[in-house]
């Protein structure tokens, strides 16, 4: 139960983790959680446009693709040249 609670706490950190790509480009603010929220709806819309696509797989990828950023933060292109996650 402790591991589940720790996982849920880390997921909650995504709402406080800023997206650095937007900061780097100088166009607005967005948290990683806001980004994931939008990606889920984009993925869902794309799945509905195609047949023979595994909807559950696409939605899982959308939900989970930025989960590591709860621990390492969101590294933009420049950060990745100097930092090893």
């Amino acid at each position: 139960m402790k591991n589940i609670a720790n996982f849920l706490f880390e997921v909650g950190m995504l709402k406080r983790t800023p997206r650095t790509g937007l900061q780097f480009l100088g166009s607005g603010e967005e948290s990683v959680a806001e980004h994931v929220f939008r990606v889920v709806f984009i993925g869902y819309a794309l799945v509905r446009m195609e047949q023979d696509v595994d909807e559950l797989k696409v939605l899982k990828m959308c939900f989970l693709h930025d989960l590591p950023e709860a621990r390492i933060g969101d590294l933009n292109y420049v950060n990745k040249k100097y930092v090893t996650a």
Side-chain angles (χ1 to χ4, degrees), residues 2-72:
K2 184 178 179 181
N3 288 338
I4 293 171
N6 287 339
F7 170 73
L8 295 174
F9 175 78
E10 285 193 41
V11 169
M13 293 305 295
L14 294 175
K15 70 181 177 183
R16 293 188 177 94
T17 305
R19 297 250 308 145
T20 58
L22 290 173
Q23 293 171 344
F24 180 68
L25 296 172
S27 58
E29 286 186 24
E30 180 183 50
S31 72
V32 174
E34 290 169 316
H35 165 71
V36 170
F37 181 77
R38 188 175 65 251
V39 168
V40 168
F41 281 98
I42 292 170
Y44 179 74
L46 292 173
V47 163
R48 303 307 296 172
M49 294 169 63
E50 292 290 328
Q51 296 178 1
D52 302 330
V53 175
D54 187 341
E55 180 178 336
L56 183 58
K57 182 177 180 178
V58 170
L59 292 178
K60 282 181 181 180
M61 289 189 311
C62 291
F63 272 118
L64 300 174
H65 79 282
D66 277 336
L67 190 58
E69 293 181 9
R71 290 187 179 186
I72 63 171

